[in-house]
Amino acid sequence: MERRVGTVSRGIRCPIIRKGDNLADIIVESVLGAAESEGFELHDRDVIAATESIVARAQGNYASIDAIAKDVKEKLGGGTIGVIFPILSRNRFSICLKGIARGAKKIVLMLSYPSDEVGNELVSLDKLDEAGVNPYSDVLDEKKYRELFGENKHPFTGVDYVAYYSELIREAGADVEVIFANQPQEILKYTKNVLNCDIHTRARTKRILKAKGAEVVMGMDDILTSPVDGSGCNERFGLLGSNKSTEESIKLFPRECGDLVLDVQKQILEKTGKHVEVMVYGDGAFKDPVGKIWELADPCVSVANTPGLEGTPNELKLKYLADNDFKDLSGEALKEAISRRIEEKNGSLVGKMESQGTTPRRLTDLIGSLCDLTSGSGDKGTPVILVQGYFDNFTTDK
């Protein structure tokens, strides 16, 4: 019988993960248990993906905000610290900000505008145009910002982040001054000690600040890179990828987990004879068309993956072939012609017209985004995702 289904993404329900759990065993048992109960089989090149959250939980990779404060104070001096380009997030940044503020006497908080790095708006572009403000060159203090734009609450959370972050800093015992600017060097008019909190542009920000005369420049990826008083840490990403655990603690991004993905792959091969690919994923990389939020608040989509997930898709665009090369064919003749072209494709299709319009992204970013959308971030209880048929094409029958 002709195959009628392509890619399938399944959320796999798992137990609640605690520190010290054997996560590889749990993932394998959960996937195989789901296959048995739901009546499906595993195949070669299926993808098993686990969200970074359960990996960090199993590792026990947590830290208190006092640990953050101690590290910040030691690395940035404990006086006036410029905290620049944070994202606007209660879950992602506010808890880190409490720790940062505990490690300083004063915080000069410099917010990018009209939005943060991942698209959360402080003010709309239309309001900027009406006010005649140029965000690339104009620097606003809080008084001017309020005069021009008043109170601006996030459309989804209902939070005025300027007021919210300011109050968090004061409650942590530090003074606060808020400015709005998009050029990193503007912070140096207030302090030479800077913590830049941007994620994907952090290397450029650090480079500019150092070139313009900053004395101490640290990124979020430089804080908690080693344990503080027995805390968790992340040697590669520091505080990046962390999120709120309790009012006084954070869950950090998982530490090295290459052994985990290889262990899961090995166990599945031993138990089923199938060679699957495995990855640990963070945020997917996609943008919300209404809120304009770019989802990628983690430093990467794939924390770790098996070698078979490296690379980019090498696919032909079926509608291009149908509308161009085989425009005079239809029905079974068109199907056979396209099938032959797929079977005959050889080597990289980069730059070939018949591949234009295919998604130019890494496999791990594409699959990780699919997994993140499938698992969600709430109460679905499916932190492991099984993706089947992703590497199949129009000619695959089994």
Side-chain angles (χ1 to χ4, degrees):
M1 181 180 294
E2 182 181 12
R3 181 172 168 181
R4 296 299 183 98
V5 176
T7 300
V8 175
S9 179
R10 288 184 171 92
I12 305 297
R13 290 185 177 175
C14 298
I16 303 299
I17 304 301
R18 295 295 191 187
K19 179 181 178 180
D21 285 348
N22 189 320
L23 190 56
D25 288 355
I26 291 172
I27 291 171
V28 170
E29 291 166 5
S30 297
V31 171
L32 296 182
E36 182 178 0
S37 67
E38 298 297 321
F40 62 84
E41 297 180 354
L42 296 185
H43 304 95
D44 288 330
R45 298 218 77 189
D46 285 353
V47 180
I48 297 173
T51 178
E52 59 82 20
S53 177
I54 62 170
V55 181
R57 288 174 66 85
Q59 292 175 345
N61 202 19
Y62 293 82
S64 69
I65 60 176
D66 283 337
I68 297 173
K70 186 173 181 178
D71 209 27
V72 167
K73 185 174 183 179
E74 180 179 323
K75 291 177 177 176
L76 287 124
T80 299
I81 299 173
V83 174
I84 74 171
F85 300 158
I87 63 171
L88 308 177
S89 171
R90 294 170 298 174
N91 175 48
R92 290 285 189 172
F93 187 71
S94 68
I95 191 74
C96 293
L97 181 59
K98 288 171 71 173
I100 293 165
R102 283 188 189 179
K105 292 181 179 179
K106 179 179 179 179
I107 297 293
V108 180
L109 181 65
M110 191 171 96
L111 301 174
S112 57
Y113 76 103
S115 63
D116 69 8
E117 182 183 4
V118 296
N120 294 293
E121 282 191 345
L122 279 173
V123 60
S124 71
L125 283 170
D126 289 335
K127 287 184 177 181
L128 288 187
D129 292 341
E130 292 171 7
V133 172
N134 182 349
Y136 298 103
S137 59
D138 294 348
V139 179
L140 309 177
D141 59 18
E142 186 174 1
K143 180 180 178 182
K144 187 65 175 179
Y145 169 83
R146 293 298 189 190
E147 287 176 358
L148 292 172
F149 308 118
E151 182 183 59
N152 290 280
K153 293 185 177 182
H154 192 283
F156 292 156
T157 66
V159 174
D160 181 318
Y161 279 95
V162 177
Y164 177 53
Y165 280 0
S166 296
E167 186 59 27
L168 280 178
I169 293 168
R170 293 189 188 98
E171 288 177 352
D175 294 331
V176 59
E177 182 174 357
V178 183
I179 61 172
F180 304 82
N182 289 305
Q183 301 302 325
Q185 59 269 26
E186 290 296 332
I187 195 66
L188 300 179
K189 297 174 182 177
Y190 301 82
T191 178
K192 301 294 184 182
N193 296 343
V194 185
L195 179 64
N196 63 292
C197 302
D198 44 343
I199 305 162
H200 307 291
T201 56
R202 62 188 184 274
R204 177 177 181 268
T205 300
K206 288 180 185 179
R207 173 173 54 79
I208 291 172
L209 287 168
K210 290 175 182 178
K212 296 294 184 179
E215 293 176 2
V216 179
V217 180
M218 293 280 167
M220 293 273 282
D221 55 333
D222 297 310
I223 306 300
L224 287 189
T225 52
S226 60
V228 174
D229 296 334
S231 74
C233 67
N234 191 296
E235 295 86 348
R236 182 181 176 192
F237 293 119
L239 288 178
L240 292 178
S242 64
N243 50 36
K244 184 176 182 178
S245 175
T246 71
E247 293 300 326
E248 290 288 317
S249 66
I250 60 169
K251 179 196 67 62
L252 293 154
F253 215 46
R255 302 174 74 177
E256 173 57 40
C257 44
D259 288 346
L260 171 68
V261 298
L262 293 175
D263 190 1
V264 172
Q265 185 182 58
K266 179 182 178 182
Q267 286 196 45
I268 293 292
L269 182 62
E270 291 173 347
K271 294 176 184 295
T272 69
K274 303 301 180 182
H275 182 87
V276 300
E277 305 296 345
V278 185
M279 70 181 292
V280 175
Y281 66 95
D283 276 345
F286 45 84
K287 185 172 182 176
D288 177 70
V290 177
K292 303 179 181 65
I293 300 168
W294 183 38
E295 177 67 14
L296 189 55
D298 283 328
C300 60
V301 175
S302 176
V303 188
N305 54 267
T306 49
L309 294 178
E310 296 296 333
T312 57
N314 195 46
E315 300 173 346
L316 296 167
K317 194 74 170 180
L318 297 192
K319 66 182 181 182
Y320 179 89
L321 295 176
D323 292 345
N324 291 272
D325 296 35
F326 307 123
K327 62 183 178 181
D328 296 325
L329 300 179
S330 61
E332 193 64 26
L334 176 60
K335 178 182 175 181
E336 291 179 0
I338 288 179
S339 296
R340 282 196 303 272
R341 181 65 65 84
I342 292 172
E343 291 168 351
E344 293 168 356
K345 69 181 179 181
N346 186 27
S348 175
L349 295 172
V350 173
K352 304 291 182 62
M353 290 300 292
E354 60 264 38
S355 71
Q356 68 174 350
T358 57
T359 307
R361 292 170 60 188
R362 294 180 300 183
L363 289 168
T364 50
D365 294 338
L366 290 163
I367 296 171
S369 297
L370 172 61
C371 292
D372 191 27
L373 286 167
T374 304
S375 61
S377 59
D379 57 7
K380 295 183 185 299
T382 56
V384 171
I385 306 299
L386 174 65
V387 180
Q388 298 188 290
Y390 191 86
F391 293 101
D392 296 348
N393 60 45
F394 186 61
T395 68
T396 305
D397 289 328
K398 294 182 179 180

